[in-house]
Amino acid sequence: MTIQHPHPQPTEIKLRRNSRVLEISFEDSAHFALPCEFLRVYSPSAEVRGHGPGQGILLIGKETVSIKEIEPVGHYAIKLRFDDGHDTGLYSWEYLYELGERQTQLWQKYLDRLQQVGHSRKEPEIKD
């Protein structure tokens, strides 16, 4: 008996430490390159998202955050441990896929929110 998953499952997950990008490929051929900063500011944790609609917080100064460790959680998610100490929130396959599909608009929303509070984001240097 095979278990049917409602959402595509990942086939490969690679952390590019120097460029601070998590690359994830799915069984439907989708491939996303998600920057660590993007994953950190869109963490699914209650600390970042809040406990209800409109309660999320805006994270500032995460341009150089990196992922220290990726921990599998069952067959449905990963836990990301960031070098700023954040390690709560499970990134389900469904959530990672959604972040990948909506990356452009979510990133713009984040940049707009930073601008609204008067924060000028500094583009980090990428190490080779």
Side-chain angles (χ1 to χ4, degrees):
M1 179 173 146
T2 53
I3 298 171
Q4 293 297 318
H5 299 283
H7 298 282
Q9 298 292 295
T11 56
E12 186 174 35
I13 299 173
K14 284 185 183 175
L15 178 59
R16 304 286 185 196
R17 292 188 188 278
N18 290 340
S19 56
R20 292 186 293 274
V21 170
L22 184 73
E23 291 185 4
I24 184 164
S25 298
F26 287 87
E27 61 191 2
D28 68 349
S29 300
H31 179 85
F32 305 113
L34 305 172
C36 294
E37 178 185 7
F38 177 72
L39 291 165
R40 178 65 177 90
V41 300
Y42 280 103
S43 169
S45 71
E47 171 194 333
V48 175
R49 294 180 84 165
H51 295 280
Q55 292 183 355
I57 62 167
L58 175 62
L59 296 176
I60 293 174
K62 298 299 178 185
E63 292 92 343
T64 61
V65 73
S66 294
I67 295 170
K68 288 190 338 184
E69 185 181 342
I70 300 170
E71 179 184 328
V73 179
H75 295 287
Y76 66 95
I78 52 177
K79 177 184 262 194
L80 301 178
R81 297 183 194 284
F82 293 89
D83 64 1
D84 67 352
H86 182 71
D87 66 356
T88 58
L90 299 180
Y91 292 78
S92 69
W93 306 144
E94 179 182 358
Y95 186 61
L96 286 165
Y97 198 95
E98 178 186 339
L99 286 177
E101 284 192 311
R102 299 183 57 216
Q103 184 175 0
T104 302
Q105 61 261 40
L106 289 172
W107 185 247
Q108 190 58 55
K109 180 179 175 183
Y110 175 66
L111 294 176
D112 292 346
R113 288 182 66 205
L114 287 178
Q115 189 175 25
Q116 287 170 2
V117 299
H119 179 75
S120 59
R121 186 181 167 279
K122 294 173 185 66
E123 197 66 43
E125 290 182 26
I126 294 178
K127 302 176 247 171
D128 286 333

